[in-house]
């Protein structure tokens, strides 16, 4: 039998190998493990817009009197109770036509507050919404299974738990 001091490095090596096999999404076979809850991430436009140095058509901060004045959606993120989260769970191709009926609401409640294109998991750079659905929406299964459902669910959660509405109860 090997001495205790010889077993410790072996145990550490086996634990490291197991961690590498489990990978980013937390499963040995490459499938996503089920997440524990959704986090609705909001952003305060006032802070972000205050730092805006140049304007572009995609930046809601540059809309003058139509700029957002309430908390806006940043995303709906599946999370694990251990403080980690899944991301980029499968390859998807964002199609703005899939959410065309939601565009007015998205522009108002989920606007991009930056110029430039956001990074996506597999397709390089794209719209802010592509970034969110690619990184977080693809990991929202089995609760949310497609692009449209990701955006409509997020909007509904935002309206239901709107932190900018004064509760009079």
């Amino acid at each position: 039998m090997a001495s205790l001091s010889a077993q410790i490095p072996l145990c550490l090596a086996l634990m490291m190998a197991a961690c590498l096999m489990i990978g980013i999404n937390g499963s040995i076979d490459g499938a996503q493990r089920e997440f524990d809850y959704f986090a609705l991430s909001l952003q305060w436009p006032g802070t972000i817009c205050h730092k805006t140095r140049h304007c572009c058509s995609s930046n809601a901060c540059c809309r003058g009197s139509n700029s957002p004045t309430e908390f806006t959606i940043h995303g709906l993120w599946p999370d694990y109770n251990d403080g980690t989260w899944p991301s980029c769970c499968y390859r998807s191709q964002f199609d703005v036509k899939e959410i065309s009926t939601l565009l007015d609401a998205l522009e108002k409640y989920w606007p991009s507050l930056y110029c430039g294109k956001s990074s996506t998991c597999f397709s390089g750079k794209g719209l802010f919404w592509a970034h969110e659905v690619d990184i977080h929406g693809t990991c929202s299964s089995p609760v949310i299974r497609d692009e449209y459902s990701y955006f409509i669910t997020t909007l509904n959660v935002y309206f239901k738990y709107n932190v900018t509405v004064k509760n009079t109860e």
Side-chain angles (χ1 to χ4, degrees):
M1 178 177 238
S3 70
L4 183 58
S5 62
Q7 291 177 355
I8 291 174
L10 179 60
C11 282
L12 289 173
L14 289 172
M15 286 173 37
M16 287 174 56
C19 287
L20 289 173
M21 284 174 38
I22 291 173
I24 294 171
N25 64 10
S27 71
I28 291 176
D29 64 0
Q32 173 194 338
R33 74 177 196 204
E34 190 172 327
F35 62 93
D36 297 310
Y37 64 94
F38 279 115
L40 177 63
S41 176
L42 303 179
Q43 54 193 357
W44 180 244
T47 303
I48 297 168
C49 293
H50 182 72
K51 297 176 184 177
T52 299
R53 299 287 178 240
H54 72 283
C55 285
C56 61
S57 61
S58 66
N59 187 337
C61 294
C62 301
R63 294 182 188 157
S65 62
N66 289 329
S67 293
T69 58
E70 297 180 346
F71 279 98
T72 60
I73 299 166
H74 186 96
L76 187 66
W77 304 341
D79 283 335
Y80 299 124
N81 286 333
D82 64 6
T84 63
W85 57 89
S87 65
C88 305
C89 292
Y90 63 86
R91 184 176 294 276
S92 70
Q93 186 62 43
F94 178 75
D95 183 0
V96 74
K97 288 182 258 167
E98 293 292 322
I99 57 170
S100 62
T101 59
L102 303 175
L103 289 178
D104 288 340
L106 292 173
E107 285 289 346
K108 182 174 182 176
Y109 303 107
W110 196 341
S112 175
L113 301 177
Y114 302 96
C115 289
K117 299 191 179 257
S118 299
S119 295
T120 61
C121 299
F122 305 105
S123 54
K125 302 269 187 180
L127 295 172
F128 175 56
W129 301 320
H131 164 85
E132 287 300 309
V133 76
D134 205 23
I135 292 174
H136 306 290
T138 59
C139 301
S140 299
S141 192
V143 178
I144 300 171
R145 297 189 181 272
D146 60 59
E147 188 176 305
Y148 180 85
S149 297
Y150 175 73
F151 288 103
I152 194 70
T153 300
T154 305
L155 287 166
N156 287 333
V157 169
Y158 173 78
F159 295 134
K160 183 173 182 175
Y161 300 104
N162 190 336
V163 298
T164 62
V165 174
K166 190 174 191 180
N167 189 346
T168 57
E169 292 179 30

